[in-house]
Amino acid sequence: MLACRRLVVAVAIVSAMMARQGVCFHHAVSVARAMAVSRSCDRELSCVGGIVMQAEGNARNRREILRSFFQGAAAVAVTGLPLSSQAKVIRPAGLEGYDEFQRDFISKQVPPGLQLATFSGGCFWCMEPPFDAIDGVVSTTSGYCGGDEAYPNYNQVSLGLTHHAESMQVLFDPSKVSYEKLLDTFWHNIDPTTKDRQFCDSGKQYRTIVFYHNELQRQAFENSRLQWESSKKFGAPIVVECVKYEKFWPAEDYHQDYYLKNEKKYKFYRYLCGRDRYLDKTWSKEATKKPLPFMLDVF
C-alpha cells in the first residue's frame, strides 16, 4: 500500500508538469503508471483518474481541474481509500450530446469512388499523422469503435467505462492508394505484441484492432499478419485483433487533427509516452538521446 501511495505522488508530480502543457490528465496517469515497477496499484490510480475526469466535466478552467486533482491524489495517498473508480462523466443520451462536428460526421455518406479503413492503434492523436501524409488519403477521423455503447464520449472511453477502443477511420481513394499500403502504415506505427496496451496507455480501450469493412480487407490483413509473423520482426507473438466493422463514433472536435491544433502539447505527450523510442528501435533508426521538449517552461 505504501508503494502505491508513493506512486500516486509520482502521478501528481508528472501531472503538474503535463497540466502546464494542457495535456489531458488521463495521459498523465498512464505515464506515471508506466514508471511503476509493479502493476499492483491500478485501483489507486484509476481512483485518481476518476476524480480527475469528474473535475474536467465540471470545472471552468485548468486551474480548477488541477486543484481537484491534487485534492483527490492527496486523499488517496494519505488514506489509500478507493474514493471512486467508476466516475462517469455522461453527456445527455443521444445525438443532442454530440458537438457540431460529430453530428455532421454521422450524417455524412461515403462519397462514390472512395472507401473506408478503420484501425485502433492506441492513442488516436498519434495515429492520424502517418496516414495524413499518404497520397490518396482524403481524411482521417479520430473516434471510438469496437463497443456496443451508443454515443460514447472521450471521458467514458479513456477511463475504460465502455467496450470501445480509441480508433481512427481513414477515408481513402483506392485508385491512388491501396488498402495494403494503409495496413503497412498501421504496422509501422504500433507495437503489435502488447495486449490491451500501447506504450504508456494501458487498458482495453488501447487494444490494437483492424476493423475490416469487407472480405477483401479481412484477407489482406490475414496475409500481412502471416508475413510479419514469419519475418519475426517484432520478436514476440502478434496480438492484433481482426474484427468485423460495425459502427464508428467520431470523437469530439477538439481531438481531430490534435497534432496540428496543439503541436507542443502533442509532442510533449508523445515523447513521454515512449511511442517514438519503440518505433525508432524497431525500424532500425539510429537511437539518439533527445532532450525532453518544453521542460524549461514547465514550471
Side-chain angles (χ1 to χ4, degrees):
M1 180 63 73
L2 180 59
C4 289
R5 296 180 190 181
R6 287 174 177 169
L7 182 56
V8 169
V9 173
V11 173
I13 294 172
V14 174
S15 296
M17 295 163 56
M18 298 183 80
R20 290 294 298 272
Q21 302 298 326
V23 178
C24 294
F25 280 95
H26 89 279
H27 286 312
V29 175
S30 296
V31 171
R33 183 186 290 119
M35 294 161 52
V37 175
S38 170
R39 294 286 305 284
S40 61
C41 303
D42 281 355
R43 186 178 67 169
E44 286 79 5
L45 288 170
S46 64
C47 168
V48 174
I51 294 167
V52 169
M53 292 308 179
Q54 282 184 322
E56 281 195 300
N58 299 315
R60 289 171 296 178
N61 56 56
R62 195 191 311 163
R63 180 169 294 181
E64 291 184 15
I65 298 172
L66 186 59
R67 184 185 303 114
S68 296
F69 174 81
F70 277 114
Q71 289 173 347
V76 176
V78 172
T79 68
L81 297 176
L83 303 181
S84 170
S85 61
Q86 295 296 319
K88 296 185 179 181
V89 183
I90 302 177
R91 273 192 296 246
L95 189 61
E96 65 270 21
Y98 268 23
D99 62 32
E100 183 178 354
F101 167 81
Q102 292 170 299
R103 293 195 298 270
D104 182 62
F105 181 92
I106 290 175
S107 68
K108 287 182 178 179
Q109 300 293 323
V110 179
L114 302 183
Q115 294 181 14
L116 293 174
T118 308
F119 306 101
S120 293
C123 174
F124 45 35
W125 296 347
C126 299
M127 291 300 290
E128 284 192 2
F131 287 90
D132 281 340
I134 299 174
D135 184 33
V137 168
V138 178
S139 66
T140 58
T141 303
S142 291
Y144 318 113
C145 196
D148 298 326
E149 298 84 358
Y151 302 100
N153 66 45
Y154 181 64
N155 289 343
Q156 293 169 331
V157 175
S158 63
L159 275 177
L161 301 178
T162 74
H163 295 92
H164 289 289
E166 285 198 18
S167 307
M168 183 204 57
Q169 191 163 88
V170 181
L171 180 66
F172 68 101
D173 184 344
S175 69
K176 296 181 178 179
V177 61
S178 67
Y179 182 72
E180 287 76 9
K181 169 64 175 177
L182 300 182
L183 274 176
D184 188 61
T185 302
F186 173 74
W187 290 115
H188 279 75
N189 284 278
I190 63 166
D191 176 358
T193 68
T194 55
K195 183 176 177 59
D196 298 338
R197 184 185 187 91
Q198 282 295 284
F199 314 104
C200 70
D201 293 317
S202 64
K204 292 186 69 66
Q205 65 271 36
Y206 297 108
R207 63 195 186 274
T208 49
I209 315 170
V210 170
F211 295 96
Y212 63 91
H213 290 251
N214 52 54
E215 183 60 23
L216 290 177
Q217 288 189 358
R218 187 195 68 81
Q219 190 59 55
F221 168 77
E222 293 297 343
N223 291 340
S224 67
R225 179 180 61 81
L226 289 174
Q227 290 175 0
W228 286 118
E229 284 183 340
S230 62
S231 73
K232 302 187 184 302
K233 173 68 175 179
F234 303 109
I238 290 175
V239 297
V240 177
E241 301 175 30
C242 184
V243 177
K244 182 176 175 59
Y245 174 82
E246 296 291 344
K247 179 69 175 179
F248 178 85
W249 300 94
E252 294 80 347
D253 185 40
Y254 70 91
H255 287 299
Q256 310 303 328
D257 297 323
Y258 191 88
Y259 72 102
L260 296 175
K261 297 175 181 175
N262 301 278
E263 183 180 2
K264 283 190 175 182
K265 300 173 186 177
Y266 167 74
K267 288 181 177 180
F268 189 78
Y269 158 71
R270 182 166 178 137
Y271 180 91
L272 288 178
C273 204
R275 184 182 292 260
D276 287 334
R277 289 190 293 276
Y278 170 85
L279 297 179
D280 288 349
K281 180 180 178 181
T282 301
W283 300 105
S284 301
K285 292 183 179 178
E286 183 178 356
T288 58
K289 291 185 177 180
K290 302 176 183 179
L292 187 61
F294 320 123
M295 283 298 290
L296 293 180
D297 61 349
V298 166
F299 292 106

